[in-house]
Amino acid sequence: MPSAACCRRPRSARHERRPLDPWALLKARTVARIGLGRAGASIATADHLAFQAAHAAARDAVLSRLDVEALTGALEAAGVATTVLASGATDRTTYLARPDLGRSLDPAAAAALAGAAGERPDVAVAVFGGLSAAGIGLHAAELVAGLITDFRAAGLKTASVPVVEFGRVALGDAIGERLGARLVVVIVGERPGLTSADAIGAYVTFRPRVGLTDADRNCVSNIRPAGMPLDEARRRIGWLAREALRLELTGTGLKDRSDEALLAAGAPPTAIA
């Protein structure tokens, strides 16, 4: 007769070495670093390596170049005309060291825009590489094409989309002013975090002109699949643009109440991010 010990089901080595993680439920709902394990006085090796990989991705996002040809090609294929312009920053190193040059137009670009000033669009959408060329390369074409489609469907006049590799948010004021646009929407690569190297942002400014500050704009941030999905961002930017044109203001005087509009239209709360 076999002994009791030989019939007992062996416990798996994995079960004995790894107790259940009490943070597992929360970790499944966020990319934030919570409940990190320890190995002695340091964090666990897996968490340490993940941190280093995220840091490297953030550095790559800041230092990498925007593939302007690929971006304009994708936009043109979607039926969106583009105009490639330059800022006062001539290379990546200068752009990072001199933020002021990223906010100013190159003289040739300023002259080109002066020639198009007679169009006077209702909305000018501009795309800048900003601090995450990776994010712009991944998400900008889909978002911009969707926005242009929505603006045209609403009967708004749009302009050819300026694409500037080394541009910062305030450059949109100079572009919008020279075009005579009522509203400018700047899509720009955001400063990457350690879990968001591919995030982009949108800045909506009514009656753009040189000298405005960030208090005069509305921002939709962290646009990316793992943050604010592109469809959700498109809805919020569209709502802000319509309200800005109706009320003739943006910035601190305009609050994002797009969720209230969605609820009033009968959408279930689960449809609202």
Side-chain angles (χ1 to χ4, degrees), residues 170-192:
L171 183 63
D173 297 337
I175 291 175
E177 184 176 29
R178 288 182 177 275
L179 288 175
R182 295 175 62 202
L183 187 80
V184 66
V185 178
V186 170
I187 307 298
V188 61
E190 286 189 340
R191 186 186 309 278

Side-chain angles (χ1 to χ4, degrees), residues 83-86 104-121 124 126 128 159-164 171-180:
T83 304
V84 178
L85 301 175
S104 62
L105 273 172
D106 172 80
L113 286 175
E119 298 178 5
R120 300 186 69 81
F128 306 154
S160 176
V161 173
V163 175
V164 184
L171 183 63
D173 297 337
I175 291 175
E177 184 176 29
R178 288 182 177 275
L179 288 175

Side-chain angles (χ1 to χ4, degrees), residues 95-115:
Y95 173 72
L96 295 175
R98 292 284 306 275
D100 57 316
L101 294 180
R103 301 184 187 111
S104 62
L105 273 172
D106 172 80
L113 286 175

Side-chain angles (χ1 to χ4, degrees), residues 1-270:
M1 182 176 179
S3 66
C6 72
C7 299
R8 189 182 302 136
R9 176 179 294 180
R11 301 180 66 188
S12 69
R14 181 179 180 183
H15 177 76
E16 293 176 353
R17 290 199 301 266
R18 290 190 176 184
L20 292 176
D21 184 355
W23 292 89
L25 187 62
L26 291 176
K27 285 181 177 178
R29 302 182 66 84
T30 178
V31 295
R33 289 183 171 78
I34 59 173
L36 301 184
R38 290 194 305 168
S42 303
I43 64 174
T45 301
D47 293 328
H48 176 67
L49 293 176
F51 182 90
Q52 287 189 314
H55 187 251
R59 288 178 59 87
D60 285 348
V62 171
L63 298 175
S64 62
R65 296 285 304 270
L66 176 64
D67 189 339
V68 174
E69 185 175 353
L71 175 60
T72 55
L75 286 169
E76 299 277 354
V80 178
T82 61
T83 304
V84 178
L85 301 175
S87 70
T90 55
D91 56 67
R92 196 73 182 169
T93 300
T94 303
Y95 173 72
L96 295 175
R98 292 284 306 275
D100 57 316
L101 294 180
R103 301 184 187 111
S104 62
L105 273 172
D106 172 80
L113 286 175
E119 298 178 5
R120 300 186 69 81
D122 295 307
V123 183
V125 181
V127 183
F128 306 154
L131 294 175
S132 178
I136 290 296
L138 288 170
H139 312 309
E142 179 181 344
L143 179 61
V144 171
L147 290 172
I148 294 293
T149 298
D150 293 344
F151 292 145
R152 289 174 178 169
L156 298 173
K157 185 177 180 181
T158 59
S160 176
V161 173
V163 175
V164 184
E165 180 176 6
F166 304 127
R168 294 183 182 267
V169 173
L171 183 63
D173 297 337
I175 291 175
E177 184 176 29
R178 288 182 177 275
L179 288 175
R182 295 175 62 202
L183 187 80
V184 66
V185 178
V186 170
I187 307 298
V188 61
E190 286 189 340
R191 186 186 309 278
L194 287 175
T195 58
S196 56
D198 65 332
I200 64 177
Y203 291 81
V204 182
T205 308
F206 180 74
R207 196 171 293 153
R209 55 199 183 279
V210 174
L212 294 181
T213 70
D214 287 344
D216 299 303
R217 327 181 197 284
N218 288 85
C219 176
V220 178
S221 183
N222 195 29
I223 303 171
R224 60 194 179 101
M228 180 181 291
L230 269 62
D231 286 347
E232 170 68 11
R234 176 178 168 182
R235 180 180 68 81
R236 290 184 182 277
I237 296 166
W239 186 92
L240 286 169
R242 290 192 300 274
E243 287 300 292
L245 292 172
R246 183 177 71 85
L247 300 173
E248 299 191 334
L249 57 83
T250 48
T252 55
L254 176 62
K255 304 303 180 186
D256 181 359
R257 294 191 170 91
S258 55
D259 287 347
E260 297 174 16
L262 200 62
L263 285 172
T270 52

